[in-house]
Amino acid sequence: MTDLFEKSIQTLELPRVLELLAAQAATEEGKDRCRALRPFTDPDDVARLQRETSAACAMIVLKGTPPLSGIRPVAASLQRADMGGALNTRELLDIAALLRCARSAKEYAAGDRAKSCIDHLFASLQANRFLEDKITGSILSEEEIADAASPELADIRRHIRASASKVRDILQRLISSSQSKYLQESIITMRSGRYVVPVKSEYKNEVPGLVHDVSGSGGTFFIEPMAVVKTNNELRELQSREEKEIDRILRELSAECAAHKVDIAQDYDLLILIDCIFARARLSGTLRCSEP
């Protein structure tokens, strides 16, 4: 672009118009692409864009706006997965959200209506309900993997719950016994991932066990009674197995995403393009557009 061309764009306040257009886009990359638009000089390109906008207007009249929110860039994640890396839960959920949007967009465009020049965009969406469901069925949130993610994980967690319950029961009996007078508070807490009880410093030798922490004032010793050391050890071993199984699950899901990286990347590009087209349609200010 020449300096004169750029000056003309500023004079015509095109950046302000493009900001209005960006505000109509549902995705962040769609907004960025809207802001980066420049006038087309080829009459064929202009006519094509006008037909796309008119087609999107007609679809909005019939069906409303296509569901495109929640789409985030996934190219870097797919590249790392393809190199054998394990994606984290946020990255996998972003891929699942993209697949869900692709599936919803295909469903949005389906049905009896007049054919349009943007139908091929929706038809080209691959989606992948199996992978989408596998991710969302395994990952409940960024912080939580579902028990159902694998039979092994479900079994490990059953044993974790049983061991944790056993430790708490033992400590609860201590709290309810004559030894409770040695405690700073009648509570069960955790230090270094192990269940402990807070013992008054002057009675620290009355509760045999392992000291894991001392309060800042020195008045409380956090002791793991010997009665629960073995079960706490078992619990830590189970938690280590849980971490390894979660890592295996994430790597397996990442490998599946890598196996479908081309389709996923294509769906992303198509959805961003669709987002920009419908942003133009919404900005047009009318819902009575038709094919020229």
Side-chain angles (χ1 to χ4, degrees), residues 220-235:
T220 304
F221 280 60
F222 295 92
I223 296 178
E224 176 187 4
M226 292 305 298
V228 298
V229 169
K230 180 180 178 181
T231 309
N232 261 337
N233 286 341
E234 293 172 354
L235 188 57

Side-chain angles (χ1 to χ4, degrees), residues 265-291:
Q266 175 182 294
D267 279 359
Y268 178 80
D269 290 339
L270 286 169
L271 289 170
I272 297 302
L273 177 56
I274 291 169
D275 186 25
C276 292
I277 292 171
F278 277 81
R280 299 201 307 264
R282 285 190 290 272
L283 189 62
S284 69
T286 176
L287 298 179
R288 292 189 297 272
C289 298
S290 60
E291 288 276 345

Side-chain angles (χ1 to χ4, degrees), residues 204-266:
K204 65 180 184 295
N205 294 324
E206 301 299 325
V207 181
L210 306 177
V211 177
H212 285 281
D213 196 9
V214 181
S215 65
S217 64
T220 304
F221 280 60
F222 295 92
I223 296 178
E224 176 187 4
M226 292 305 298
V228 298
V229 169
K230 180 180 178 181
T231 309
N232 261 337
N233 286 341
E234 293 172 354
L235 188 57
R236 289 301 297 273
E237 290 174 9
L238 287 166
Q239 290 168 341
S240 177
R241 286 176 57 195
E242 178 190 29
E243 290 175 5
K244 290 178 180 177
E245 177 61 12
I246 287 174
D247 182 67
R248 188 197 67 76
I249 290 167
L250 295 179
R251 287 185 178 279
E252 181 180 285
L253 291 172
S254 301
E256 291 212 30
C257 290
H260 296 90
K261 65 172 185 174
V262 174
D263 289 343
I264 296 171
Q266 175 182 294

Side-chain angles (χ1 to χ4, degrees), residues 106-244:
K106 284 184 77 74
E107 293 170 354
Y108 164 88
D112 295 332
R113 58 178 176 80
K115 301 301 180 183
S116 77
C117 62
I118 59 175
D119 286 350
H120 70 283
L121 299 177
F122 293 97
S124 297
L125 291 167
Q126 298 297 312
N128 187 328
R129 184 63 182 268
F130 176 80
L131 180 56
E132 175 195 339
D133 287 347
K134 188 166 184 178
I135 293 173
T136 55
S138 299
I139 304 175
L140 301 180
S141 69
E142 287 187 59
E143 295 78 28
E144 186 176 6
I145 304 296
D147 288 2
S150 77
E152 176 69 13
L153 183 61
D155 183 64
I156 291 170
R157 285 181 170 173
R158 278 195 298 271
H159 284 87
I160 285 176
R161 288 190 287 268
S163 295
S165 178
K166 182 178 178 180
V167 170
R168 288 193 296 268
D169 287 344
I170 295 171
L171 294 180
Q172 191 60 51
R173 286 197 295 271
L174 183 151
I175 289 173
S176 302
S177 72
S178 59
Q179 289 186 304
S180 62
K181 62 187 177 185
Y182 303 138
L183 304 182
Q184 195 69 259
E185 295 180 82
S186 296
I187 61 171
I188 299 169
T189 185
M190 296 194 78
R191 288 296 186 276
S192 303
R194 302 177 78 89
Y195 286 99
V196 298
V197 289
V199 179
K200 296 175 183 177
S201 58
E202 60 268 31
Y203 296 121
K204 65 180 184 295
N205 294 324
E206 301 299 325
V207 181
L210 306 177
V211 177
H212 285 281
D213 196 9
V214 181
S215 65
S217 64
T220 304
F221 280 60
F222 295 92
I223 296 178
E224 176 187 4
M226 292 305 298
V228 298
V229 169
K230 180 180 178 181
T231 309
N232 261 337
N233 286 341
E234 293 172 354
L235 188 57
R236 289 301 297 273
E237 290 174 9
L238 287 166
Q239 290 168 341
S240 177
R241 286 176 57 195
E242 178 190 29
E243 290 175 5
K244 290 178 180 177

